[in-house]
Amino acid sequence: MTDTAVRVSALAHPGIAHAFFTRNGGTSGGLYGSNNCAFGSDDDRTSVAANRTACMKALGANALVTVKQRHTADVVTVEKPWLWENAPVADALVTTLPNIAIGILTADCVPVLLADADAGVIAAAHAGWRGAFDGVLQNT
């Protein structure tokens, strides 16, 4: 991995890929300077799509699925990939689908990754103070 994608050895498990992606690398410029993956921003959509594709490939996934985060305690189950335009409002995702990357975006909130390798379940949660207080982690 490069300094764009950071893996944590304590989270390593066979068959489950993970990474925390930094701002380094990527194609976005200006205010969003460089690895912006947020379609909800005012960044150039082509740059965001290229950044997301690079992250997806770094994880060895066939799709990258995210949600429209609003600091809620809402969790969605990913049963098939969706386009960003069709993404639900939620702050956590859970899936059993192989080769699907689920992602959350953070600035000053906490990213929480969960996995049950035996059951083949992974989850990613965006835990800001409001979502954490309201139960996003318990719901996930």
Side-chain angles (χ1 to χ4, degrees), residues 102-115:
I102 55 175
I104 51 115
L105 306 176
T106 63
D108 57 352
C109 296
V110 178
V112 179
L113 305 179
L114 304 150

Side-chain angles (χ1 to χ4, degrees), residues 11-77:
L11 299 179
H13 193 284
I16 299 176
H18 81 280
F20 297 92
F21 292 91
T22 69
R23 289 180 57 103
N24 299 323
T27 62
S28 296
L31 171 68
Y32 299 101
S34 69
N35 194 31
N36 178 33
C37 291
F39 276 126
S41 69
D42 289 328
D43 194 1
D44 175 69
R45 291 186 64 78
T46 302
S47 295
V48 173
N51 295 337
R52 290 170 66 104
T53 297
C55 292
M56 178 186 70
K57 288 182 179 180
L59 289 167
N62 297 328
L64 171 60
V65 179
T66 58
V67 290
K68 295 176 181 171
Q69 298 170 201
R70 300 289 189 273
H71 297 278
T72 69
D74 297 335
V75 181
V76 296
T77 300

Side-chain angles (χ1 to χ4, degrees), residues 89-140:
V89 172
D91 282 86
L93 306 98
V94 178
T95 192
T96 59
L97 297 176
N99 301 314
I100 301 295
I102 55 175
I104 51 115
L105 306 176
T106 63
D108 57 352
C109 296
V110 178
V112 179
L113 305 179
L114 304 150
D116 181 336
D118 294 335
V121 178
I122 61 170
H126 166 249
W129 77 265
R130 180 166 305 281
F133 181 80
D134 289 341
V136 71
L137 298 180
Q138 293 88 331
N139 292 349
T140 304

